[in-house]
Amino acid sequence: DAKTTQPPSMDCAEGRAANLPCNHSTISGNEYVYWYRQIHSQGPQYIIHGLKNNETNEMASLIITEDRKSSTLILPHATLRDTAVYYCIVREYAGGTSYGKLTFGQGTILTVHP
Amino acid sequence: GAVVSQHPSRVICKSGTSVKIECRSLDFQATTMFWYRQFPKQSLMLMATSNEGSKATYEQGVEKDKFLINHASLTLSTLTVTSAHPEDSSFYICSAKMVNTEAFFGQGTRLTVV
């Protein structure tokens, strides 16, 4: 799986948009970008994933650059409950020989403050 | 999203004893389950991948005789930590997925070996 690089920490004011960047310059054509988050002492929570088109769901938006070498997760109106570690992961979609296993990096600690 | 439940959420055991952790997919049949371990202030480390009805595939450096994984049905996988020692104290997290879906995580089990 391709390696990802994320900033170790970010701050965001409550109510503002949180934009979390991720670099994945070695991503290959069949690899998707996944985002998960982990709130303290809980299991990770799936947020969103995409291949090359921008994606949006009820939690967030995912913007992938045209060359697919980087992406940005956007939380449009951050709340205090969005404080968590956010992981950007690149891998084959769901199946493949790895059965869709996820390799977690260090992630970005997002702190939302009042 | 789909619900994955782990039990127990916390367990304290004496050194030398064995501990079993259960992971259940409550509203879907999981073709593949994964077990992770997370030490304080570190990221999740994949321990093993298990497919229903077959032997688990362990990651390099994970002792298969110490961490016994059973995936006897499409909704249940168990991790047994045998002859536990204080260095096995950690946060153990399972995830489960169907074919061609993202992975969903349990809430984790905090194991403390005294």
Side-chain angles (χ1 to χ4, degrees):
Chain A
D1 296 335
K3 181 179 171 59
T4 63
T5 303
Q6 299 178 251
S9 64
M10 294 183 66
D11 286 340
C12 177
E14 189 177 19
R16 303 297 294 270
N19 298 286
L20 292 89
C22 179
N23 283 318
H24 31 78
S25 58
T26 60
I27 192 171
S28 60
N30 64 342
E31 289 182 317
Y32 285 66
V33 180
Y34 283 77
W35 283 84
Y36 282 78
R37 72 180 182 183
Q38 185 179 26
I39 296 171
H40 183 62
S41 295
Q42 297 182 25
Q45 177 188 22
Y46 165 80
I47 300 174
I48 199 168
H49 75 275
L51 181 63
K52 54 183 177 181
N53 296 323
N54 297 336
E55 302 287 344
T56 295
N57 61 21
E58 64 277 5
M59 288 184 68
S61 294
L62 174 60
I63 308 298
I64 303 174
T65 57
E66 192 169 343
D67 62 7
R68 303 210 320 125
K69 293 185 177 181
S70 65
S71 61
T72 301
L73 178 74
I74 301 173
L75 307 179
H77 305 288
T79 70
L80 298 179
R81 288 180 295 181
D82 292 321
T83 293
V85 181
Y86 286 77
Y87 296 100
C88 169
I89 302 169
V90 170
R91 66 155 173 83
E92 292 179 4
Y93 178 65
T97 56
S98 65
Y99 296 101
K101 69 180 181 181
L102 298 168
T103 302
F104 287 80
Q106 295 305 308
T108 296
I109 300 173
L110 174 68
T111 303
V112 181
H113 52 85
Chain B
V3 179
V4 176
S5 177
Q6 271 183 251
H7 178 80
S9 57
R10 290 178 177 270
V11 59
I12 300 173
C13 72
K14 291 184 177 180
S15 186
T17 62
S18 295
V19 175
K20 180 184 286 188
I21 302 169
E22 292 187 347
C23 177
R24 294 181 183 274
S25 55
L26 298 185
D27 51 1
F28 67 100
Q29 293 187 323
T31 52
T32 306
M33 288 187 170
F34 306 89
W35 286 96
Y36 294 82
R37 179 169 53 181
Q38 185 175 34
F39 292 108
K41 298 190 184 301
Q42 295 187 22
S43 189
L44 286 79
M45 294 295 295
L46 180 66
M47 299 175 67
T49 302
S50 73
N51 293 291
E52 186 264 339
S54 60
K55 290 184 178 180
T57 301
Y58 290 81
E59 296 297 302
Q60 191 173 9
V62 178
E63 300 175 59
K64 61 180 182 181
D65 294 331
K66 181 169 183 62
F67 300 99
L68 303 179
I69 292 172
N70 183 285
H71 190 170
S73 77
L74 286 172
T75 60
L76 175 64
S77 176
T78 60
L79 168 68
T80 301
V81 183
T82 63
S83 187
H85 292 284
E87 58 264 30
D88 298 323
S89 297
S90 189
F91 192 50
Y92 291 86
I93 308 167
C94 73
S95 72
K97 65 183 294 294
M98 295 171 280
V99 176
N100 293 330
T101 70
E102 62 271 18
F104 298 96
F105 286 79
Q107 72 272 34
T109 297
R110 177 77 57 192
L111 170 64
T112 303
V113 185
V114 298

